[in-house]
């Protein structure tokens, strides 16, 4: 098995690289170096154009994009492509949006490489939740508010994903919800059924870190209607509101006091 703490891209058959949510500014130095040294880059649909532009022209690119509820390259095809390219002796980078290990199907691909006797290493990336929270001027944890953070998915292989709704519904809880657009009404219903305050803020960050990024301040009560405005990939930050929205609310309260 690969010695993950000490690997270098040159010492393994495949390097898994987290590309961050989109902007090149969020790519790590290690990830940049891996792209420069690669012979083949196998990348996801959500990898940002700024990051793809950093791949040298001579490097072969293979797009294996997946889209929830839409056209996708099957996971089996991705696994087979990864193994086939690595078996040629080429230096392969598997480039994934965000962080490889957060809803990135990393385990299936590592298992496929191990089954083929191929080595690998992992260069983590910034996950969308961290960058989205920074973009709204908030922290994901805060003393006196939440001592834990949930990172959950809106749907899984079985459909809409069940969570610890009772725990999430408690006051002060914060959760980053990935792939939550299609399941927003389901999420709203489950949380309110377990006692969540309808006025709980939810910040929706669409196209995190990209030029077309958009931030929508909503509440749990209005979540499905707010999400209906969103076309691109988005992270739902349950329990957080954009700092500017909080400031505006404070000013309004002071003006009407």
């Amino acid at each position: 098995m690969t010695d993950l703490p000490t690997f270098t891209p040159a010492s393994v058959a495949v390097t898994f690289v987290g590309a961050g949510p989109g902007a090149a500014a969020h790519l790590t130095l290690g990830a940049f170096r891996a792209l420069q040294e690669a012979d083949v880059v196998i990348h996801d649909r959500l990898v940002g154009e700024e990051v793809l532009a950093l791949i040298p022209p001579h490097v072969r690119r293979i797009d294996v994009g997946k889209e929830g509820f839409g056209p996708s390259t099957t996971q089996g095809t991705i696994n087979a492509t990864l193994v086939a390219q690595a078996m040629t002796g080429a230096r392969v980078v598997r480039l994934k949006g965000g962080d490889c290990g957060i809803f990135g199907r990393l385990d299936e691909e590592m298992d496929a490489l191990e089954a083929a006797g191929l080595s690998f290493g992992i260069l983590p990336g910034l996950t969308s939740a961290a960058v989205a929270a920074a973009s709204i001027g908030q922290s994901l944890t805060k003393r006196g508010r939440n001592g834990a953070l949930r990172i959950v998915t809106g749907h899984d292989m079985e459909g809409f994903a069940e969570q610890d709704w009772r725990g999430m519904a408690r006051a002060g809880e914060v959760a980053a919800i990935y792939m939550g657009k299609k399941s927003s009404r389901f999420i709203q219903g489950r949380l309110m059924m377990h006692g969540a305050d309808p006025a709980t803020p939810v910040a929706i960050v669409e196209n995190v870190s990209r030029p077309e990024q958009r931030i929508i301040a909503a509440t749990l009560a209005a979540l499905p209607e707010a999400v209906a405005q969103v076309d691109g990939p988005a992270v739902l930050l349950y329990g957080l509101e954009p700092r500017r929205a909080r400031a505006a609310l404070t000013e309004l309260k002071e003006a009407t006091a």
Side-chain angles (χ1 to χ4, degrees), residues 33 50-51 70 125 160 199 207 227:
R33 287 175 174 166
E50 288 186 12
V51 174
F160 293 159
N207 293 312
V227 169

Side-chain angles (χ1 to χ4, degrees), residues 153-155 177-185 187 227 234 236:
T153 180
H155 66 83
I177 305 172
Y178 289 60
M179 298 169 282
K181 292 195 302 179
K182 301 275 187 184
S183 56
S184 61
R185 192 169 296 279
I187 292 167
V227 169
L236 314 182

Side-chain angles (χ1 to χ4, degrees), residues 150 163-170 173 190-191 193-194:
R150 300 170 192 264
Q163 308 293 345
D164 175 16
W165 303 114
R166 187 176 301 279
M168 285 179 63
R170 291 193 298 259
E173 292 292 314
R190 284 291 195 269
L191 285 167
M193 182 173 68
H194 286 84

Side-chain angles (χ1 to χ4, degrees), residues 129-130 139-141 146-152 173-176 237-238 240:
S139 59
L140 288 169
T141 61
N146 65 306
L149 167 69
R150 300 170 192 264
I151 298 180
V152 302
E173 292 292 314
V174 172
L237 297 177
Y238 173 79
L240 297 180

Side-chain angles (χ1 to χ4, degrees), residues 241 243-256:
E241 60 186 346
R243 184 168 292 274
R244 68 171 185 269
R246 185 177 63 181
L249 180 60
T250 300
E251 292 170 2
L252 178 61
K253 288 180 178 178
E254 290 175 350
T256 57

Side-chain angles (χ1 to χ4, degrees), residues 40 46 59-60 64 75 100 120 126 134 155 158 237 249-250:
V40 180
L46 292 179
V59 176
R60 183 183 178 196
V64 292
Q75 190 61 51
C100 313
F120 62 85
L126 283 171
H155 66 83
E158 305 300 322
L237 297 177
L249 180 60
T250 300

